[in-house]
Amino acid sequence: MIMDLCRENLAGMRDLLKDGEVSAVDLCRAHLNRIAERKSLNAFITIDGERAIDAARTADKRKQAGEETGLLAGLPLAVKDNICIDGQPTTCASKILDKFIPPYTATAVFNLLNAGAVIVGKTNLDEFGMGSSDEHSHFGPVKNPHDLSRTPGGSSGGSAAAVADFQVTAALGSDTGGSVRQPASFCGIVGLKPTYGAVSRYGLTAFASSFDQIGVLTRSVTDCEMVFRVICGRDEHDATSVRSIYPDDYSGDLKSAGRMRIGIPTEYFGEGLAPEVGAIVEKTIEELARDGRAIRKISLPHTKYAVAAYYIIANAEASANLARFDGVRYGTRVDSGQLSALYRESRSQGFGVEVKRRILLGTYVLSAGYRDEYYDRAQRVRTKIIGDFEDVFSSVDLLVCPTTPTTAFKLGEKLDDPLAMYLSDIYTVPASLAGLPALSVPCGTANGLPVGLQIIGPRFAESRLFSLATEIERLAGHRRTGV
Amino acid sequence: MTGWDRNHADFEAVIGLEIHAQLLTESKMFCGCSTAYGAPPNTQTCPVCLGLPGALPVANRQAIEYALRFVLAVGGTVNRRNVFARKNYYYPDLPKGYQISQYDQPLGEGGTIIIIEDNTAKSIGLMRAHLEEDAGKSFHVDARAGGPATLVDLNRCGVPLLEIVSQPEIRSPYQAYLFVTKIRQLVRYLDICSGDMEKGALRCDANISVRRQRKKTLGTRTEIKNINSIRGVERALTREIDRQIDILGSGGQIEQTTLFWDDDAQDVRPMRGKEESADYRYFPDPDLPEVVIDDDWLRRAAKAIPELPNQRRDRLVHEFHIPPYDAGVLTAERPLAEYFEAVASLVDRPKSAANWVLTEVLGALREVSGNIEEFPVQPPQLAELLREIEVGNISGKIAKEVFRIMQSEGGSAREIIERRGLQQISDGDTIQLVIGQVLRAYPTECKAYRGGKKKLFGFFVGEVMARTNGKANPQKVNELLRKMLED
């Protein structure tokens, strides 16, 4: 019974709650039990069962009192641990945020709570979102529920593993260069990176501000849309957030109501793509064509520069964003009496190796004499990549491609080879550079491991993404495997 | 003139100033926290100005508008697309590890400030004016107070600043003094900054080098920070020029350094613990979209610019026929100019109103070091008093007495004059009666006067005034006295 409850999706749970078959407290307990049973996956950093049960109890009371309840009333969700919740530790999986408790709640979480959601805990991640395997966590790596010897992907690996493993039904992640889509792909679930500006970043610890977006991880497209609907919208605390009304503002200004035209970017099917991944993605595309979709091969010529440009700009921004972690006001403080030593020691001991690598790279590319050559040049590449997408979206409505070049790799496999690790983001970073919405939806398995298909749309075309993803979900249904 | 001019005539100073003006917004540059001065430490903070993880800045449009006013008022060019940039450096009073400022696209470029030195106008060019956020305040506590430690107050952190950078066109400490005075006057006129240097609302850094007269190339410059009074500007620069000339004069070389003005010691000293040439790694702040200033916004900002001091001075000269110097004093501060114009508009003789404001009102203000807005005698009351003089009800001398009563006890001029019986005596019969008494009382002096000792006339006037308690109309007294003595 309990396991069955956890296997429901959000819509199913809503029905069960509505019919009075279960209470929100039942749901919450079921999930807390599942989390406890599956602790070995290391998907969570903090679990606040008491607080979650209280929230569930409140949801039940409101329902009994006949009060109007929100879209997510009584539904258990998890939040990536780089997103602030008032009064709960936010670690960003870093030692440097040791004992830090934010005095405020991120807007996205605030919206979830407003919709009645029950937050069961904070999920594990690569430190500050920097990584593609969830191995760069101060709290140890997360394991992929499909194969415990493999990574769930990163950096939202904890959120992806928890959702795929039925520890929670939906989770917030954050996506800077693929950190929602890649783990969703590795774990066989749905992961949305919204348009830059669709979801407020207020309360999301910044990694690279011009890329970061809070995203959604769920087991179904419908669930993903439901959570997105709740968290999207303009927020006065985030000057880069823009549109407000879902779905009206998120149809991508689709002019024609005719047949949806799908573009296949040839650059995403070249060298480096594992044949078994390519095969299943191409098979799905064929099925879409058979369903009467117009499929067209297109080119995004600057794709090959995307990873380089991404790692220059993102790390440049990160080098400034992470300067605030200096041991002066909160977190790890190693004080020997000298100011410069306080900075040096607190940061040396507080940050992990990957974070240090990125801060150094980012500092370097902004330094006098190098900025032109690296940062400014990467910005020009970014403009070209945005132009590539603008060009193709004049002739197609959506793009379809693999989310990642391979299925989930082994834990430890790329840990000593940062470049190989960075290249696993090759299909996800271009949409990040262009601020476009992109969604990974499972399209089958290769050698027993999930394969994700990525849909990329024009800015604010989320509802279009959901519509095609629903189609793919249906097509791939027969190929789906459980944990 | 200051010492270095006399002693070091061979050298010329080249000075550029950077002025930080705290804008008079109610909330901070990038968050809603109050900017009020003097609150207990760290009580005016929030996740944004504390730089907590996940907090984001949102630009204060009022601050942008104030800055626009300044750029327009000095005739600078407004950049329509404004980019905020991060200036990266570590300091405990800078919680984010970077300061949000503007770099290659400042709000304003160019413009001029006119200073007047020895009745000659000199125009000092401005390089730029840009917006930025202030840092917090550090207090270094020594062993006696439980230290050594540094305490940080972040109330000031995030307060909007307008950084005004002059061209290196200032040639003496006195000109620098005039420049800062003029900037202070302008920002106060524009109502965008209190100009209060003691509270840090206006701060000044100076870049300075000296070179031999008529030489074109610039010498090595030093920077002086922490100048927090207008007089300090002149003193600090004088001190630094002396120091540089002494070095150059004895064959030494100037080292490019940052110095710190110690107001107590009246000397410059090297800054401690500051890196020599910092690389601030400026880049556009991705959290803040470009701020585009459209025509509408420009028009609104322009509309909020009042008549500026120089224009106002010229207008007063023409409109009220008062000397340029007097008009300059009257327009130095906007509230004083408002006060004067209010009085002038209510009387027949604005010129005498000007004299009254310049001597009596300013004198009284100096005595109590008060400000004009709270002065007990407001323009309608002063105008009423001046009208009493105009219609001959009281003499100027009595008027000053009435003015003092109005100041200390309040009340209207009319009422005070009546209650105390201070009306001027202009009635010929009454005055003749008193003159008759005086002439009878001083027969010897009468004789002497009539014998040719005309200087005694003043003595008789004084006696008449004394017997009327100063209330006799002086003109009438002169006229009748002369007649009666000659008879």
Side-chain angles (χ1 to χ4, degrees):
Chain A
M1 161 68 183
I2 280 175
M3 189 54 207
D4 288 346
L5 260 189
C6 293
R7 282 184 181 274
E8 286 291 342
N9 60 22
L10 290 179
M13 287 180 194
R14 262 175 68 86
D15 289 344
L16 290 173
L17 283 172
K18 204 164 87 190
D19 300 344
E21 303 227 356
V22 294
S23 68
V25 172
D26 294 337
L27 270 180
C28 187
R29 287 226 167 90
H31 284 92
L32 288 171
N33 287 341
R34 174 77 184 161
I35 291 167
E37 272 168 30
R38 304 283 289 176
K39 209 170 178 327
S40 60
L41 257 65
N42 206 20
F44 282 85
I45 290 174
T46 312
I47 297 148
D48 194 341
E50 227 166 278
R51 190 166 161 152
I53 294 285
D54 276 352
R57 201 167 278 138
T58 307
D60 285 336
K61 275 191 194 136
R62 295 193 59 171
K63 185 178 166 266
Q64 275 157 21
E67 289 173 45
E68 204 177 313
T69 52
L71 194 61
L72 300 174
L75 303 180
L77 270 82
V79 172
K80 188 177 180 180
D81 202 25
N82 59 352
I83 302 172
C84 294
I85 303 180
D86 191 352
Q88 282 196 331
T90 294
T91 67
C92 298
S94 181
K95 187 185 168 193
I96 207 153
L97 277 171
D98 185 35
K99 297 188 183 70
F100 172 69
I101 295 177
Y104 77 110
T105 296
T107 302
V109 175
F110 181 83
N111 291 340
L112 289 182
L113 295 171
N114 239 2
V118 173
I119 311 289
V120 296
K122 308 284 297 285
T123 54
N124 206 345
L125 64 150
D126 284 299
E127 186 178 358
F128 288 105
M130 297 178 176
S132 309
S133 68
D134 238 302
E135 293 165 289
H136 298 295
S137 166
H138 178 59
F139 302 97
V142 182
K143 291 170 185 156
N144 191 319
H146 294 272
D147 177 347
L148 300 184
S149 69
R150 290 178 189 272
T151 162
S155 63
S156 309
S159 287
V163 171
D165 195 45
F166 306 102
Q167 297 181 34
V168 75
T169 319
L172 296 189
S174 67
D175 190 314
T176 305
S179 281
V180 162
R181 292 161 284 161
Q182 186 250 24
S185 174
F186 281 10
C187 292
I189 58 170
V190 177
L192 168 73
K193 180 203 92 78
T195 309
Y196 185 78
V199 179
S200 169
R201 292 182 294 120
Y202 189 70
L204 164 66
T205 309
F207 157 14
S209 314
S210 72
F211 300 87
D212 295 342
Q213 269 293 287
I214 290 178
V216 184
L217 298 107
T218 55
R219 292 188 298 267
S220 79
V221 177
T222 316
D223 283 3
C224 188
E225 182 171 16
M226 200 196 269
V227 177
F228 176 69
R229 180 193 289 262
V230 169
I231 63 169
C232 71
R234 157 131 185 85
D235 173 19
E236 60 172 17
H237 294 296
D238 177 0
T240 62
S241 72
V242 267
R243 299 197 194 180
S244 279
I245 303 154
Y246 187 87
D248 304 31
D249 288 345
Y250 295 91
S251 60
D253 306 317
L254 192 57
K255 296 284 189 302
S256 70
R259 282 203 320 176
M260 205 184 277
R261 300 158 301 169
I262 294 169
I264 310 296
T266 50
E267 289 80 3
Y268 288 56
F269 290 85
E271 201 190 334
L273 175 62
E276 68 277 16
V277 172
I280 194 93
V281 170
E282 275 165 19
K283 192 169 170 207
T284 310
I285 293 169
E286 277 164 30
E287 285 172 352
L288 284 173
R290 222 176 305 148
D291 258 20
R293 310 263 173 188
I295 310 283
R296 187 176 304 171
K297 284 207 166 157
I298 55 96
S299 171
L300 297 165
H302 295 91
T303 302
K304 56 179 173 289
Y305 307 114
V307 170
Y310 169 78
Y311 275 94
I312 288 170
I313 301 168
N315 290 343
E317 292 179 8
S319 72
N321 283 331
L322 272 60
R324 67 191 63 194
F325 305 111
D326 57 6
V328 173
R329 292 164 314 281
Y330 48 80
T332 293
R333 178 189 181 103
V334 185
D335 196 352
S336 59
Q338 280 291 316
L339 181 61
S340 56
L342 168 72
Y343 288 146
R344 191 177 54 242
E345 289 308 312
S346 300
R347 288 169 68 81
S348 294
Q349 296 183 28
F351 288 134
V353 61
E354 180 61 24
V355 171
K356 284 181 202 163
R357 178 164 28 237
R358 298 200 191 196
I359 291 173
L360 287 174
L361 279 169
T363 304
Y364 179 80
V365 299
L366 285 174
S367 298
Y370 298 100
R371 200 191 117 153
D372 296 356
E373 201 178 329
Y374 292 102
Y375 178 80
D376 292 346
R377 206 165 172 191
Q379 288 290 12
R380 289 197 292 277
V381 171
R382 187 176 196 175
T383 306
K384 296 270 187 207
I385 285 169
I386 293 169
D388 278 359
F389 281 109
E390 277 171 1
D391 290 346
V392 301
F393 283 126
S394 64
S395 62
V396 299
D397 301 310
L398 291 172
L399 300 177
V400 164
C401 58
T403 308
T404 55
T406 65
T407 52
F409 48 87
K410 291 261 186 196
L411 287 167
E413 189 181 326
K414 297 186 181 180
L415 203 49
D416 299 324
D417 188 354
L419 209 58
M421 189 79 96
Y422 295 169
L423 285 171
S424 66
D425 298 337
I426 192 159
Y427 302 145
T428 48
V429 294
S432 296
L433 282 159
L436 303 177
L439 179 146
S440 180
V441 57
C443 67
T445 55
N447 304 326
L449 291 169
V451 173
L453 179 141
Q454 182 177 218
I455 310 170
I456 303 171
R459 284 170 61 74
F460 299 103
E462 274 81 351
S463 67
R464 214 189 287 176
L465 260 59
F466 290 132
S467 127
L468 183 65
T470 307
E471 192 90 354
I472 291 165
E473 194 176 45
R474 189 181 55 76
L475 289 172
H478 62 279
R479 291 196 294 269
R480 204 106 167 257
T481 56
V483 175
Chain B
M1 276 277 108
T2 42
W4 72 273
D5 283 298
R6 285 197 306 274
N7 299 334
H8 306 290
D10 286 353
F11 289 92
E12 177 187 54
V14 177
I15 301 165
L17 296 180
E18 277 173 31
I19 294 174
H20 288 88
Q22 182 183 318
L23 296 174
L24 275 176
T25 54
E26 293 200 351
S27 58
K28 293 185 180 180
M29 186 67 221
F30 298 110
C31 64
C33 288
S34 166
T35 56
Y37 179 83
N42 298 309
T43 53
Q44 289 168 175
T45 57
C46 73
V48 177
C49 55
L50 290 176
L52 294 187
L56 296 171
V58 177
N60 181 336
R61 290 178 70 87
Q62 185 72 62
I64 297 169
E65 182 150 339
Y66 282 172
L68 269 180
R69 254 187 232 173
F70 178 85
V71 176
L72 293 175
V74 297
T77 311
V78 172
N79 268 323
R80 297 302 193 98
R81 307 182 80 85
N82 272 268
V83 175
F84 287 103
R86 292 183 182 179
K87 178 182 182 180
N88 297 285
Y89 68 94
Y90 286 93
Y91 207 68
D93 58 22
L94 188 73
K96 297 193 296 295
Y98 58 84
Q99 178 193 29
I100 306 177
S101 180
Q102 292 192 288
Y103 185 53
D104 43 17
Q105 274 167 278
L107 187 83
E109 290 179 85
T112 47
I113 292 287
I114 310 281
I115 57 171
I116 296 174
E117 186 181 22
D118 302 332
N119 287 320
T120 315
K122 178 179 162 82
S123 137
I124 309 281
L126 297 184
M127 210 179 281
R128 56 189 273 149
H130 73 246
L131 279 162
E132 62 185 30
E133 56 175 348
D134 207 346
K137 221 171 166 177
S138 296
F139 300 89
H140 303 287
V141 178
D142 64 17
R144 279 164 302 169
T150 298
L151 304 177
V152 178
D153 177 7
L154 296 175
N155 282 351
R156 205 183 66 184
C157 187
V159 164
L161 297 178
L162 181 67
E163 180 174 326
I164 302 157
V165 186
S166 86
Q167 297 283 1
E169 293 175 354
I170 297 166
R171 291 289 172 267
S172 71
Y174 182 61
Q175 285 185 2
Y177 159 80
L178 291 174
F179 179 84
V180 178
T181 307
K182 208 69 203 169
I183 291 277
R184 184 172 178 274
Q185 182 192 51
L186 182 61
V187 294
R188 285 167 61 87
Y189 250 77
L190 293 171
D191 213 9
I192 60 172
C193 170
S194 74
D196 199 335
M197 292 189 86
E198 265 141 52
K199 292 180 183 167
L202 202 70
R203 304 195 286 273
C204 182
D205 300 338
N207 283 300
I208 174 153
S209 64
V210 298
R211 62 181 172 193
R212 300 245 172 221
Q213 292 284 7
R214 288 176 297 280
K215 233 179 130 179
K216 282 272 169 273
T217 51
L218 290 169
T220 305
R221 69 189 162 88
T222 57
E223 187 180 0
I224 313 174
K225 287 187 175 289
N226 190 48
I227 310 177
N228 45 24
S229 74
I230 289 197
R231 281 292 163 195
V233 174
E234 200 174 355
R235 293 198 192 109
L237 285 169
T238 304
R239 184 67 199 86
E240 175 57 9
I241 289 165
D242 283 347
R243 193 187 70 89
Q244 289 195 11
I245 291 175
D246 283 350
I247 293 173
L248 293 175
S250 58
Q253 278 192 332
I254 307 296
E255 210 183 312
Q256 187 170 342
T257 44
T258 301
L259 304 159
F260 172 88
W261 172 246
D262 184 338
D263 206 51
D264 296 327
Q266 293 284 300
D267 204 353
V268 290
R269 52 187 55 170
M271 285 272 264
R272 283 173 307 170
K274 186 99 180 176
E275 271 180 51
E276 273 309 299
S277 62
D279 177 2
Y280 291 120
R281 304 191 313 278
Y282 282 99
F283 73 101
D285 191 328
D287 287 329
L288 291 158
E290 267 188 354
V291 176
V292 178
I293 291 152
D294 58 16
D295 292 349
D296 211 45
W297 203 358
L298 265 190
R299 261 196 301 274
R300 251 181 305 146
K303 240 169 116 179
I305 297 176
E307 186 181 25
L308 296 175
N310 291 352
Q311 300 161 346
R312 193 165 201 166
R313 187 196 58 218
D314 295 347
R315 181 172 57 79
L316 294 195
V317 169
H318 288 109
E319 209 166 296
F320 300 121
H321 308 289
I322 51 178
Y325 178 81
D326 289 358
V329 177
L330 286 170
T331 53
E333 299 277 347
R334 198 164 147 194
L336 181 66
E338 307 285 345
Y339 184 98
F340 163 68
E341 287 206 53
V343 178
S345 70
L346 295 170
V347 300
D348 296 333
R349 294 203 293 260
K351 209 173 157 179
S352 104
N355 288 332
W356 265 81
V357 173
L358 288 169
T359 52
E360 302 309 317
V361 176
L362 284 183
L365 278 176
R366 259 194 298 277
E367 260 170 47
V368 298
S369 41
N371 71 52
I372 190 86
E373 282 110 328
E374 283 146 31
F375 190 62
V377 185
Q378 282 300 299
Q381 284 87 49
L382 180 60
E384 189 187 323
L385 176 66
L386 300 186
R387 277 198 311 272
E388 294 294 329
I389 307 175
E390 285 170 359
V391 300
N393 264 350
I394 46 168
S395 65
K397 202 175 155 207
I398 294 287
K400 284 174 192 173
E401 198 182 320
V402 176
F403 180 70
R404 272 189 292 278
I405 296 167
M406 289 167 76
Q407 243 190 92
S408 54
E409 296 166 24
S412 79
R414 179 81 255 156
E415 186 190 62
I416 292 166
I417 292 162
E418 267 171 23
R419 191 158 28 104
R420 308 208 172 196
L422 296 173
Q423 287 96 334
Q424 186 159 265
I425 301 163
S426 299
D427 165 46
D429 292 347
T430 314
I431 293 174
Q432 269 181 347
L433 211 71
V434 180
I435 293 174
Q437 287 170 2
V438 170
L439 297 186
R440 276 192 299 282
Y442 296 101
T444 326
E445 283 78 3
C446 273
K447 218 168 161 187
Y449 180 87
R450 289 186 176 125
K453 218 169 169 195
K454 301 290 179 200
K455 269 199 282 185
L456 280 168
F457 189 78
F459 163 76
F460 293 116
V461 172
E463 281 303 307
V464 174
M465 295 310 282
R467 281 167 194 242
T468 58
N469 293 322
K471 292 187 290 184
N473 181 328
Q475 270 174 316
K476 275 267 166 65
V477 171
N478 281 343
E479 186 188 312
L480 293 171
L481 185 64
R482 191 160 281 122
K483 210 159 123 200
M484 287 169 75
L485 278 167
E486 310 286 302
D487 282 348

